[in-house]
Amino acid sequence: MWVYIEKIRDFVEQEVTIKGWLYNIRSAGKLMFPELRDGTGLIQGVVSKKEVSEKVWEDFGKLTQESSVIVKGLITRHPKKEDVYELQVKDLEIVAIAEPYPITPKEHGVDFLADRRHLWLRSPRQSAIMRIRNEIIQSIREYMYNNGFILFDTPIFTPNACEGTSTLFSTDYFDLGKAYLSQSGQLYAEAGALALGKVYTLGPTFRAENSMTRRHITEFWMMEPEMAFFDLNDNMNLIEDFLEYVVQRVIKNKKQELDFLGRDLSKLEKVKKPFPRITYNEAVEILRKKDIPLIRKTENGEEHIRPFPYGEDFGAPHEEAIVEAFDKPVMVHRWPAEAKAFYMKRDPENPKLALGVDVLAPEGFGEIIGGSQREDNLDFLLERIEEHQLPLEEFGWYVDLRRYGSVPHSGFGLGIERVVSWLCNLEHIREAIPFARRPNRIRP
RNA sequence: UCGAAGGUAGCUCAAUGGUGGAGCAUUCGGCUGUUAACCGAAGGGUUGCGAGUUCGAGUCUCGCCCUUCGAGCCA
């Protein structure tokens, strides 16, 4: 019977068939120890010369790393190790002999591996990350479904920039001129929220920023819920509840993979409601107390400005300093409006502040969520569009949402790969997605 | 885009301006409990590209290309 390695415990002392690939093989005279991989796990086979036919013995000698095979044998407990199982090999069918495999069980550099991403994904580490990514996305979908959100898929071709700030990838669109690859589904999700109440979009987004850091890729997946009649506070309550659900479910269901990656689970177990909520101004106070300067580039190098001035946005060193004191995600809210996007509603108590919230992951993994309450007043929104010098003709439909039964509404965007990096404790975001797109890499 | 480090065998890395090496991988041989197995042997090189200095350049100088790390921007 064909079984998957992850289910092997249920078949002890039974004869099974495993279909997979040779991960590694060791030999000791009349014994061989092939390590088999089938996508769900690894198992060590034991081939004894006196137990198998001459042909099977010879065929095992021909196998190279990553050769595909169908192996029959008896599942037994490891003679020395607890909860480890082996396959006592009886028969072998070679599906295909692999050419010399470039990725060996030894060390490799990141560039070499990135060039062979299509093969790198076969390694136990990458396989564990992809399984955890799957669990994260699945738990997001289930949370949303169970809480009354409607999946609302937004377009990838768009005629306008959602936020005027970042650069967009462009392409020709028949007779209609340029089209751009979406950098966010938010504006369309707002239309969805006013139609359906609570919606979310989950799909790829694109940013043509020449960002060469361990936290950026040019094509990344984002989950963006949008809720009618939610204010900033409701938004933050949702973020807390949602993040706790996702993190706790992932550590419950993917413990084996997280252990394999060497993830410190005690840090993730602390991700429970409530999360600290601090205002932007309080965050600046933290930076001032720690004497973290704002570093600004000048013609003759760098300028270090102390104390950190109110109104400036935070960079990576600032985020790290703010998060340091907490062991949970930190929600920073009420930002200087000037630095923020045009669609954010102003704080009624202080119009210089926008009702935005950023969520900073613990352990220095940076911003995983950016959200806000949206501007729902028609005249204020028109003002913002003018201030930001955005083409009104492209935003006509968006402005319309304020004409026909406008309501307070809020939402946020969560970067899937940032969350994968955080939960898997990855050094670099390039491992968080099957095929990472970066400014200097579009292959494979 | 800016700053720093780097580019030598298939991979990871050594090599005082003076005959380019090791471990792993590959091929062959040995070994009945191996776990990135081990032991023995063999094959494997336009030192990123181009110019210059020098009797002599992997090593020094200049230009270009590429990679990594950090910064900015952001999810």
Side-chain angles (χ1 to χ4, degrees):
Chain A
M1 186 173 47
W2 176 20
V3 298
Y4 284 100
I5 293 169
E6 65 181 348
K7 303 281 185 205
I8 217 70
R9 267 174 206 79
D10 304 336
F11 296 91
V12 178
E13 296 306 325
Q14 292 183 46
E15 203 156 303
V16 301
T17 299
I18 286 173
K19 303 186 182 187
W21 297 262
L22 184 76
Y23 179 67
N24 194 8
I25 188 162
R26 296 173 284 271
S27 72
K30 305 290 187 295
L31 281 179
M32 279 192 269
F33 300 95
E35 224 174 330
L36 301 170
R37 157 184 98 66
D38 74 348
T40 73
L42 282 173
I43 189 167
Q44 173 168 281
V46 183
V47 189
S48 169
K49 191 170 185 183
K50 64 182 182 189
E51 301 288 333
V52 298
S53 70
E54 208 164 303
K55 179 168 190 310
V56 167
W57 180 258
E58 276 172 19
D59 280 353
F60 264 102
K62 290 181 202 159
L63 292 183
T64 54
Q65 192 186 352
E66 287 301 316
S67 288
S68 41
V69 291
I70 297 173
V71 182
K72 286 194 176 74
L74 187 71
I75 301 298
T76 57
R77 290 179 199 282
H78 193 284
K80 291 170 196 162
K81 289 181 184 170
E82 194 66 22
D83 200 37
V84 174
Y85 303 89
E86 295 183 321
L87 180 71
Q88 304 296 328
V89 173
K90 302 225 157 119
D91 198 16
L92 165 70
E93 181 188 331
I94 296 175
V95 179
I97 296 282
E99 292 178 23
Y101 194 64
I103 300 177
T104 67
K106 282 266 183 175
E107 63 211 318
H108 297 286
V110 283
D111 188 46
F112 176 84
L113 291 170
D115 280 338
R116 291 154 186 82
R117 182 62 171 167
H118 52 299
L119 303 176
W120 186 19
L121 287 163
R122 300 182 183 192
S123 75
R125 175 184 164 84
Q126 298 309 314
S127 157
I129 295 168
M130 289 309 132
R131 263 183 252 288
I132 293 167
R133 180 187 167 101
N134 173 59
E135 185 71 23
I136 290 168
I137 292 174
Q138 188 65 22
S139 52
I140 288 171
R141 289 197 181 282
E142 281 180 27
Y143 179 92
M144 288 294 146
Y145 187 86
N146 294 335
N147 285 278
F149 286 76
I150 305 296
L151 177 63
F152 187 77
D153 300 309
T154 54
I156 286 169
F157 284 133
T158 57
N160 58 308
C162 179
E163 310 174 28
T165 52
S166 348
T167 344
L168 291 155
F169 288 105
S170 70
T171 181
D172 293 322
Y173 199 81
F174 303 109
D175 296 335
L176 301 180
K178 289 273 180 224
Y180 302 94
L181 299 187
S182 175
Q183 56 187 185
S184 162
Q186 180 202 313
L187 270 41
Y188 294 97
E190 286 184 47
L194 271 61
L196 297 156
K198 291 194 288 186
V199 300
Y200 74 103
T201 173
L202 173 48
T205 52
F206 308 86
R207 305 268 167 105
E209 295 156 353
N210 194 2
S211 300
M212 295 289 287
T213 82
R214 62 167 80 177
R215 287 196 291 276
H216 290 85
I217 41 184
T218 55
E219 177 182 328
F220 65 99
W221 284 62
M222 192 149 65
M223 194 285 285
E224 298 173 282
E226 193 71 33
M227 301 75 66
F229 297 103
F230 269 50
D231 64 14
L232 181 65
N233 220 41
D234 299 324
N235 203 11
M236 291 197 277
N237 292 342
L238 173 68
I239 288 171
E240 262 178 357
D241 194 59
F242 160 79
L243 266 187
E244 177 185 307
Y245 175 84
V246 171
V247 173
Q248 295 309 320
R249 177 169 145 170
V250 168
I251 57 180
K252 183 171 149 244
N253 290 354
K254 285 289 161 274
K255 191 172 180 315
Q256 206 183 327
E257 283 81 358
L258 291 164
D259 283 343
F260 181 83
L261 295 173
R263 187 53 165 120
D264 183 351
L265 290 184
S266 68
K267 295 221 165 98
L268 296 180
E269 278 158 6
K270 288 180 186 151
V271 180
K272 295 221 166 120
K273 295 189 288 186
F275 299 165
R277 300 181 186 194
I278 61 173
T279 64
Y280 166 85
N281 284 348
E282 287 165 344
V284 171
E285 286 306 318
I286 292 174
L287 295 178
R288 291 184 160 197
K289 249 178 221 150
K290 294 193 172 184
D291 200 31
I292 314 270
L294 174 74
I295 299 171
R296 193 178 272 152
K297 291 247 158 81
T298 60
E299 280 173 23
N300 354 332
E302 290 179 341
E303 187 190 1
H304 290 233
I305 304 168
R306 292 167 213 268
F308 189 95
Y310 286 100
E312 293 290 334
D313 218 336
F314 302 144
H318 307 112
E319 286 181 359
E320 258 170 67
I322 292 163
V323 155
E324 212 173 23
F326 303 99
D327 52 10
K328 296 179 184 187
V330 180
M331 301 200 268
V332 184
H333 60 96
R334 292 183 164 77
W335 292 74
E338 278 180 26
K340 288 291 175 180
F342 78 96
Y343 51 71
M344 288 192 188
K345 188 178 176 65
R346 300 295 172 99
D347 186 349
E349 288 170 20
N350 180 354
K352 289 192 169 162
L353 297 178
L355 293 176
V357 53
D358 281 3
V359 181
L360 307 175
E363 302 171 74
F365 282 92
E367 187 183 340
I368 49 171
I369 284 177
S372 67
Q373 182 170 344
R374 322 304 191 188
E375 182 54 73
D376 50 79
N377 179 285
L378 174 64
D379 294 331
F380 290 165
L381 184 63
L382 289 170
E383 260 174 51
R384 295 291 118 69
I385 288 176
E386 197 172 326
E387 274 171 26
H388 284 79
Q389 299 180 325
L390 297 170
L392 187 58
E393 61 276 16
E394 297 295 359
F395 288 91
W397 67 268
Y398 181 68
V399 171
D400 255 8
L401 302 174
R402 279 73 183 168
R403 284 201 169 92
Y404 304 106
S406 188
V407 296
H409 61 289
S410 300
F412 64 87
L414 167 110
I416 301 290
E417 288 76 19
R418 292 259 176 103
V419 174
V420 175
S421 294
W422 168 38
L423 299 188
C424 294
N425 195 25
L426 303 183
E427 293 260 312
H428 201 294
I429 198 165
R430 76 181 126 227
E431 288 183 280
I433 184 169
F435 294 93
R437 293 290 177 254
R438 305 183 63 222
N440 65 342
R441 180 174 295 282
I442 198 168
R443 297 189 176 88

